Amino acid sequence: MNLLKVQYGMIQTTRESLFRYCETMSPTDYVQEVENFGGASIHSLHAHVADCYRVWLGSRALGQSLAQVKPGAVDNVQKMRAAFQKIDALVYEFLDEFKGTWDPDMQASWKSENAELTELWLFTHTTTHEFHHQGQIVKIGRQLGYIPPKLNLAKPSATPSTEL
């Protein structure tokens, strides 16, 4: 069993709950910029999360040149869900590429301005970053009058599409 794939499956299930919540919103509210969040909107936060995966796992770790996930191109929940299907494939590619290299003391070939980054750090950073912004999305939804579902990390309802 690949534990990180199982964990990512839980993240996908929780993300799907958030998408279903966003589908209860009007299309206008999904893209509405909220002053209290520096002008961010729910869809711009979703795009930002997807783009974080693209940059850290796709560009930095896998060396791929992938198109930026721009909020204007994914301006409704269905388009955002499709964008995340591509991100899911990227995450599974990353997990397959670096399978067995999760030792936090191993040197990696990526450097930030002040640290050597490991494969485990890259995966952890991108997934915790997503949950940070999920909280913001729920907060914006509440401000717009939508009551969110419970979004605790959920057990996958089905095995992810990739082999565990």
Side-chain angles (χ1 to χ4, degrees):
M1 171 173 53
N2 184 318
L3 188 58
L4 293 180
K5 284 186 179 181
V6 172
Q7 180 182 21
Y8 190 70
M10 293 178 195
I11 292 166
Q12 289 174 290
T13 301
T14 302
R15 182 189 306 137
E16 181 55 32
S17 295
L18 188 63
F19 280 145
R20 285 194 305 269
Y21 169 60
C22 291
E23 287 174 331
T24 68
M25 300 173 183
S26 73
T28 304
D29 285 344
Y30 184 67
V31 300
Q32 182 176 330
E33 295 177 356
V34 177
E35 182 78 25
N36 293 349
F37 282 87
S41 64
I42 291 171
H43 93 287
S44 70
L45 289 171
H46 262 144
H48 171 69
V49 167
D51 208 50
C52 178
Y53 281 106
R54 177 194 66 88
V55 169
W56 288 102
L57 304 186
S59 297
R60 291 192 183 209
L62 296 170
Q64 297 177 0
S65 179
L66 304 168
Q68 182 179 0
V69 181
K70 295 182 180 179
V74 284
D75 59 356
N76 65 51
V77 179
Q78 292 73 29
K79 289 179 185 177
M80 192 64 70
R81 190 181 270 121
F84 269 96
Q85 286 175 343
K86 293 177 184 176
I87 295 303
D88 291 341
L90 176 70
V91 171
Y92 284 116
E93 181 180 351
F94 171 84
L95 292 173
D96 286 338
E97 177 72 22
F98 298 105
K99 184 161 84 175
T101 60
W102 307 119
D103 183 342
D105 295 325
M106 289 179 65
Q107 293 295 316
S109 59
W110 314 283
K111 292 184 180 183
S112 72
E113 295 170 6
N114 57 4
E116 292 280 337
L117 306 177
T118 66
E119 292 85 359
L120 184 59
W121 184 94
L122 292 169
F123 181 75
T124 302
H125 171 69
T126 53
T127 58
T128 58
H129 176 259
E130 179 171 359
F131 276 91
H132 162 72
H133 287 299
Q134 281 185 5
Q136 291 180 324
I137 288 169
V138 167
K139 185 77 169 178
I140 290 172
R142 279 187 184 279
Q143 287 183 0
L144 296 174
Y146 298 92
I147 305 301
K150 292 185 180 190
L151 290 174
N152 296 332
L153 188 61
K155 180 179 178 186
S157 56
T159 303
S161 60
T162 323
E163 182 183 311
L164 296 176

